[in-house]
Amino acid sequence: QVQLVESGGGLAQPGGSLRLSCQASGFRLEEYDIGWFRQAPGMEREGVSYISGHYGITNYADSVRGRFTISRDNARNTLYLQMNNLEPDDTAVYYCAALIRRPPHFSDDADWKSTWLYDYWGRGTQVTVSS
């Protein structure tokens, strides 16, 4: 059974850091494309970062590039999102999602933010950035 469980959220001050984890079970993370998404109150869910399965291609939203880093630990079957220099606009519920059934013409660069393509989602972890 495929399952994704996020952890590591919490309260951080502006300029602070948090590291989110996404523990996967039922499949091997390194074999599939995984994305981090976030959703703030009243806003649509948006793509934050992405790592492709086989080649480890990474992508970031413009708003987080240079501040956030996605990585995975294959031995622990866990995905991470290191978030530095946090800003109040980063406040949201953060989700990891797995794209198991990759469409034939899927582009790592153009399509990774498309939430409807992802097959499995975690329940999310709250990140609040406030002084």
Side-chain angles (χ1 to χ4, degrees):
Q1 181 180 358
V2 173
Q3 192 172 14
L4 297 166
V5 179
E6 302 94 338
S7 62
L11 175 65
Q13 292 189 340
S17 298
L18 286 173
R19 188 178 79 157
L20 304 184
S21 300
C22 172
Q23 177 70 57
S25 58
F27 72 106
R28 298 300 305 170
L29 267 179
E30 71 265 29
E31 296 179 2
Y32 296 97
D33 308 323
I34 310 294
W36 280 105
F37 294 81
R38 67 186 181 187
Q39 188 166 21
M43 304 292 286
E44 292 188 356
R45 193 168 297 188
E46 63 174 359
V48 175
S49 187
Y50 162 89
I51 185 166
S52 69
H54 292 289
Y55 299 106
I57 296 169
T58 58
N59 275 308
Y60 297 92
D62 290 343
S63 59
V64 308
R65 187 175 291 111
R67 301 188 296 122
F68 291 10
T69 304
I70 191 171
S71 63
R72 65 186 177 211
D73 184 331
N74 295 339
R76 288 183 165 83
N77 210 30
T78 301
L79 183 76
Y80 300 101
L81 185 68
Q82 178 66 44
M83 307 187 296
N84 298 329
N85 196 19
L86 284 162
E87 303 171 354
D89 284 348
D90 296 320
T91 296
V93 178
Y94 284 70
Y95 302 87
C96 60
L99 200 165
I100 303 297
R101 292 177 284 270
R102 182 181 172 110
H105 302 293
F106 179 87
S107 166
D108 294 306
D109 292 329
D111 299 326
W112 69 272
K113 294 182 183 179
S114 301
T115 56
W116 60 89
L117 294 176
Y118 289 78
D119 302 291
Y120 295 96
W121 292 80
R123 293 188 175 184
T125 185
Q126 174 71 48
V127 171
T128 303
V129 184
S130 174
S131 56

